[in-house]
């Protein structure tokens, strides 16, 4: 069945040409004419285009290729794709014939400057999705962030003709397309030389955005405890000193905001100014001591009576506390101390 039959309106077909050019080239690098001219990329691209023209008969179509030289990502991150070798000469030889092929077929060719082909696809998909359906003829996982009720991805070169819709994406991942860029940022992309968060792979990243960071802690083998805590009055507030210990199997390295709650005698809770604790690597079995000033909690509060203090490590996805540590203040030898619990 033609892909366009899924829609009532005539769709726009946007093809990530660069992806299919490279894919075709590396699929069979030995393919060549009798005179030795390489043809692998040209052959695959031609076969895909002929299929689209025959089965889809598109009225709106664009074949988009990456431009030459660095793009805006190299300005943001100079090491972007730095590990990649130069484009093979046999592939370069096929680019001009591919240009001529597309024009001969009466299709629109777009060569992007200062950006990549998938950037153009993403921009055009967002621009036209409210007007008509958009079919991204592409395989790049980054383009999943473009999925929409009116935007789908189609890989006509795959053996199973892979189709990804908004519904299938959400059923498979439990995520929204708007979350996908952050998931990919956490994972990183070795093919583009983009580092991710150490120790976090696709499954853990998806858990983080689907279930919250408390699930990530468990998945990564964390078991954090506050093993020591103390308070010291200073001008304008109170200094809180905390020692975190990791009894789990994974190092603790993320920076998290920490909420502080002070429980009054009548049971009401006073929320102090949130902390911004930055913990260096906390290896399994290791501990790390941090100090921070509680500007919103006067020191005399601790001296008037014993109070209960709760630390809540905030889940940035929900804004709620993912992990809580409860402690109790007490007076000992004329100074306020904290008894730290689990």
């Amino acid at each position: 069945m033609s892909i366009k039959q899924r829609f009532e309106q005539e769709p726009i077909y946007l093809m990530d040409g660069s992806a299919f050019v490279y894919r075709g080239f590396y699929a069979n690098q030995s393919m060549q004419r009798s005179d030795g001219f390489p043809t692998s990329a040209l052959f695959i691209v031609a076969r895909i285009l002929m299929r689209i023209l025959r089965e889809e008969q598109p009225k709106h179509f664009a074949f988009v290729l990456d431009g030459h030289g660095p793009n805006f990502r190299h300005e943001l991150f100079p090491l972007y794709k730095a590990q990649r070798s130069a484009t093979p000469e046999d592939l370069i030889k096929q680019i001009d014939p591919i240009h001529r092929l597309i024009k001969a077929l009466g299709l629109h060719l777009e060569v992007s400057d200062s950006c990549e082909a998938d950037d153009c696809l993403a921009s055009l998909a967002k621009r036209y999705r409210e007007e008509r359906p958009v079919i991204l003829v592409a395989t790049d996982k980054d383009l999943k962030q473009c999925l929409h009720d009116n935007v789908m991805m189609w890989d006509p070169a795959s053996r199973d003709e892979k189709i990804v819709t908004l519904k299938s994406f959400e059923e498979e991942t439990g995520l929204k397309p708007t979350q996908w860029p952050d998931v990919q940022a956490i994972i990183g992309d070795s093919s583009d030389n983009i580092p991710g968060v150490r120790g976090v792979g696709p499954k853990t990243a998806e858990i983080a955005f689907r279930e919250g960071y408390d699930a990530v802690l468990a998945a990564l083998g964390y078991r954090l405890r506050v093993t020591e805590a103390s308070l010291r009055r200073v001008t304008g507030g109170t200094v809180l000193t905390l020692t975190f210990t990791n009894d789990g199997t994974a190092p603790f390295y993320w920076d998290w905001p920490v909420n502080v709650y002070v429980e009054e005698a009548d049971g009401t809770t006073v929320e102090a100014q949130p902390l911004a604790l930055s913990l260096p690597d906390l290896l399994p079995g290791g501990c790390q001591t941090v100090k921070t000033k509680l500007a919103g909690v006067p020191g005399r509060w601790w001296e008037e009576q014993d109070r209960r203090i709760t630390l809540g490590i905030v889940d940035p996805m929900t804004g709620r506390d993912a992990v809580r540590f409860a402690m109790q203040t007490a007076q000992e030898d004329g100074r306020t101390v904290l008894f730290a619990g689990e």
Side-chain angles (χ1 to χ4, degrees):
M1 182 181 74
S2 170
I3 300 297
K4 66 167 28 175
Q5 293 180 14
R6 294 168 173 256
F7 306 101
E8 296 180 359
Q9 283 182 290
E10 186 72 28
I12 297 176
Y13 295 79
L14 302 173
M15 185 168 178
D16 184 357
S18 291
F20 288 98
V21 166
Y22 275 89
R23 183 172 169 182
F25 174 74
Y26 286 107
N28 189 357
Q29 297 183 54
S30 62
M31 183 180 291
Q32 58 185 22
R33 291 189 317 209
S34 58
D35 61 359
F37 188 88
T39 58
S40 57
L42 180 61
F43 172 77
I44 292 296
V45 169
R47 188 171 68 176
I48 295 172
L49 289 175
M50 293 302 292
R51 177 189 175 184
I52 293 174
L53 290 173
R54 182 178 63 253
E55 298 181 5
E56 300 295 316
Q57 301 180 10
K59 293 183 179 180
H60 313 286
F61 182 94
F63 187 95
V64 187
L65 289 170
D66 295 339
H68 297 290
N71 56 58
F72 71 94
R73 287 186 176 82
H74 294 90
E75 298 177 7
L76 296 172
F77 183 53
L79 296 179
Y80 177 63
K81 294 186 177 180
Q83 87 287 10
R84 293 194 181 185
S85 55
T87 304
E89 187 63 30
D90 281 354
L91 176 55
I92 295 175
K93 291 178 181 179
Q94 299 178 65
I95 298 301
D96 186 61
I98 289 173
H99 285 196
R100 298 202 306 269
L101 165 70
I102 296 165
K103 293 176 181 178
L105 291 173
L107 300 173
H108 179 76
L109 170 65
E110 185 70 32
V111 180
S112 57
D113 291 322
S114 302
C115 63
E116 298 178 1
D118 52 4
D119 296 314
C120 291
L121 265 65
S123 298
L124 291 170
K126 185 173 182 180
R127 177 179 177 181
Y128 288 108
R129 69 188 186 188
E130 302 301 332
E131 299 179 16
R132 64 178 62 250
V134 178
I135 298 175
L136 300 177
V137 185
T139 61
D140 193 329
K141 63 181 182 299
D142 293 338
L143 286 171
K144 290 180 179 180
Q145 64 188 280
C146 302
L147 293 171
H148 180 268
D149 289 331
N150 233 18
V151 179
M152 62 178 289
M153 294 177 65
W154 174 40
D155 179 8
S158 66
R159 181 174 300 177
D160 301 325
E161 190 180 58
K162 187 172 183 181
I163 295 172
V164 182
T165 64
L166 173 62
K167 181 180 179 181
S168 67
F169 171 79
E170 291 180 343
E171 289 177 349
E172 179 183 353
T173 65
L175 304 172
K176 301 293 183 183
T178 52
Q179 296 175 297
W180 195 243
D182 293 325
V183 171
Q184 293 303 303
I186 290 177
I187 297 170
D189 190 339
S190 58
S191 65
D192 289 339
N193 201 39
I194 298 176
V197 176
R198 180 160 51 95
V200 179
K203 291 187 179 297
T204 302
E206 290 180 16
I207 289 174
F209 286 86
R210 188 169 59 243
E211 301 179 21
Y213 275 87
D214 49 345
V216 175
L217 288 171
L220 292 179
Y222 288 107
R223 189 172 184 273
L224 291 178
R225 293 186 299 132
V226 177
T227 50
E228 293 184 21
S230 64
L231 294 160
R232 181 169 57 89
R233 186 169 61 179
V234 296
T235 302
T238 301
V239 170
L240 173 64
T241 301
L242 299 168
T243 297
F244 285 89
T245 297
N246 180 17
D247 294 334
T249 58
F252 178 88
Y253 49 83
W254 284 329
D255 293 347
W256 266 313
V258 177
N259 290 326
V260 180
Y261 305 91
V262 181
E263 188 173 315
E264 297 284 16
D266 61 1
T268 60
T269 299
V270 177
E271 184 172 346
Q273 183 176 348
L275 315 182
L277 294 182
S278 178
L279 295 175
D281 288 5
L282 192 58
L283 298 176
C287 62
Q288 178 69 37
T289 299
V290 293
K291 294 183 179 181
T292 189
K293 185 176 180 180
L294 306 182
V297 181
R300 53 185 171 80
W301 281 18
W302 315 114
E303 299 172 356
E304 293 172 355
Q305 63 185 51
D306 294 344
R307 301 182 187 277
R308 181 181 175 84
I309 178 172
T310 301
L311 303 179
I313 297 183
V314 180
D315 178 347
M317 296 299 103
T318 64
R320 299 188 297 269
D321 293 340
V323 183
R324 284 198 171 195
F325 302 98
M327 293 171 285
Q328 182 71 39
T329 67
Q331 301 301 313
E332 185 177 282
D333 297 329
R335 63 188 182 90
T336 302
V337 297
L338 276 172
F339 292 98
E342 293 290 334

